[in-house]
Each structure stands twice: as structure tokens, then as C-alpha cells.
Amino acid sequence: MAETRRTCPPAEAAPRTGLRHVEHVMGTVFSFDIRDPRTPAVTGALRAAVGWLHHVDALFSTYRPESAISRLACDATTLDREPEVVATVLRLCEEAERRTRGCFTAHPGGRLDPSGLVKGWAVEGATRILRDAGVRNVCVNGGGDIQLTGEAAPGRPWRVGIADPCRPGQVLTTVEGRDLAVATSGTAERGHHIIDPRTGAPATGLLSATVTGPHLTWADVYATAAVVLGTAARQWISGIDGYRLVAVAQDGVVPGLPPGG
């Protein structure tokens, strides 16, 4: 879950032929910044990507008693009676638990809740819909977690500022790249709400952890796990090919690998 506010490059940087859209869904705000020329195919793909987000929300919202996840959580249905995509997500959650050595779970507090993976996965899926339709340059921002594709402008990579949780309104650092995901988890905005699944206690080692890499699904999972690991996250992330970490401890920046594309 994103805790440090980030945005795509300012709207005025986009060509007039581009397309921007904001959608309120999944309890947060999603934004699309498409830098390709506006065509019927691009407009249709955007409509399909937005529809996908609402479909994901209908299936996985823990606030909707009729959602597949809510009904599974209270044993009102079985997995074989739900769409295959639900099983796919739960398998990804199992893989996430293995990859993070138990620092990520789809059962926080003992109740089924894959929200820690779903948002990043949904953003990545929306981006894939756009790419399959021929969109080459787009920023999809889901509540602060971002999947970038292509370029902000010809010859210019996307640049994303990461806010400093210790200094409101200040930028800690900037990441840039093409085909890049950026995800942040932490305690700066919502307090110590991330629970260490191994102990059941709140994770308190870091104010925030930002992970960059090729896929938002995993960047988001790894950012959450990094908060749980605390200062040990630096060494752990360094062993995962393609993913990098910028972390802020309670008393300042934790040295780590520089972000990049």
C-alpha cells in the first residue's frame, strides 16, 4: 500500500494529443496519463482499463459483503465456484509469502485479505490492457503506486519524485526510467498499521520503503515486506534482481541501492 505521495510528471508536460483520466475506485484514486496520440483505439483501451479496475474491485473488495473475497473469508462460497482470476491472485499471494520469507501475508489478523497485493497487480493489469491495444507511453498511478511504460516525451524518460516523510512537502529523491514500477509502503501517513506476520506486532523499523523495479505487483509486495524487515531490508532487496530500495528509518535515510530504471 502506498504511504508516500508521488505523482506522474505534471499534466502540462504532456502533449495536447495525449489523454488523461482520473477514476475513483478501490477506495482510492487512479490516474492515467497517456502520452500517445489520442485515437479511437487508445480511448477504447482506456475505457477497458477502467472497467478492469472496477471488475477487480467487485471481486476483491473486503468492504463489499458480496465480493468473492468477502464470501470466501466467511465460508459463504468456495474457490472453485468463483472466477479463475481469484485463484490466480491467491496463488500469487502464496508466492509472495514464499518470496518474502513470511514478511507478506494474505491473512493479516487471521482473515483473508489480499489487498496488499491486489492494487499493484490491478494497476499492472490495467497497463497491460493499454499496451496490448498499442499504447506505448503511459503512467498509471494507483493511489500513489505507479507503473510507467515507454517515455514521458521522445527521448525523455519518466521522472517520479518521492516525498520525504520526515519533511512534508520536500522531495527525498527522484527516480527515472522507462518501463518502471515505483511502490511505497510505510508508517508516515497512517501510523504503524503494517503488521509483521511473523510476530503479530506492528512493524516499526522504517518510516517508509520505496521499491523500484519492472513489475508493480512485486514492487508493492517487496515494499510492504521491507517495512516489516526494517533495516535488514537493504541486504534482502539487494539479492532480488531488478529491484532497488530507498528506505527512511525513524531517524533518517537508510543507505541503500540508488533507485533507477
Side-chain angles (χ1 to χ4, degrees):
M1 301 295 290
E3 292 298 328
T4 303
R5 189 176 301 276
R6 299 176 305 287
T7 62
C8 297
E12 59 267 26
R16 290 184 178 180
T17 55
L19 182 60
R20 288 175 294 277
H21 178 77
V22 174
E23 188 76 13
H24 295 262
V25 61
M26 296 173 65
T28 189
V29 177
F30 287 75
S31 66
F32 296 80
D33 184 354
I34 298 172
R35 300 296 175 91
D36 292 29
R38 184 187 301 215
T39 66
V42 169
T43 302
L46 175 59
R47 189 162 49 245
V50 169
W52 159 254
L53 294 177
H54 284 279
H55 176 63
V56 170
D57 190 30
L59 287 175
F60 294 100
S61 173
T62 59
Y63 298 99
R64 296 186 177 194
E66 75 280 8
S67 74
I69 283 299
S70 293
R71 288 183 290 115
L72 283 168
C74 65
D75 296 323
T77 187
T78 56
L79 195 56
D80 61 303
R81 295 169 60 186
E82 299 301 330
E84 177 60 28
V85 69
V86 177
T88 296
V89 164
L90 295 183
R91 285 193 296 268
L92 283 172
C93 288
E94 292 173 356
E95 183 179 350
E97 186 169 353
R98 290 192 298 270
R99 288 193 185 193
T100 63
R101 304 171 190 172
C103 292
F104 174 90
T105 182
H107 294 83
R111 181 177 175 84
L112 179 63
D113 180 1
S115 301
L117 180 140
V118 165
K119 180 158 66 71
W121 170 81
V123 169
E124 199 171 347
T127 304
R128 189 177 305 113
I129 290 170
L130 294 167
R131 293 192 65 172
D132 287 348
V135 175
R136 292 293 172 261
N137 306 286
V138 61
C139 166
V140 183
N141 183 332
D145 290 337
I146 297 171
Q147 185 79 53
L148 305 166
T149 297
E151 298 179 315
R156 182 162 63 86
W158 295 97
R159 300 181 77 246
V160 179
I162 300 172
D164 187 340
C166 299
R167 299 180 300 162
Q170 299 295 311
V171 174
L172 176 68
T173 188
T174 301
V175 298
E176 65 176 46
R178 301 166 175 84
D179 302 320
L180 180 70
V182 185
T184 297
S185 288
T187 63
E189 293 185 9
R190 294 174 56 194
H192 298 293
H193 70 285
I194 297 176
I195 302 299
D196 184 340
R198 303 166 302 179
T199 66
T204 59
L206 298 177
L207 282 178
S208 70
T210 297
V211 174
T212 65
H215 301 291
L216 187 56
T217 301
W218 296 111
D220 203 6
V221 165
Y222 295 153
T224 300
V227 173
V228 171
L229 285 168
T231 55
R234 176 192 176 189
Q235 181 177 2
W236 174 67
I237 290 288
S238 69
I240 302 175
D241 187 41
Y243 291 85
R244 299 176 179 179
L245 170 70
V246 173
V248 180
Q250 298 293 335
D251 57 355
V253 177
V254 177
L257 292 171

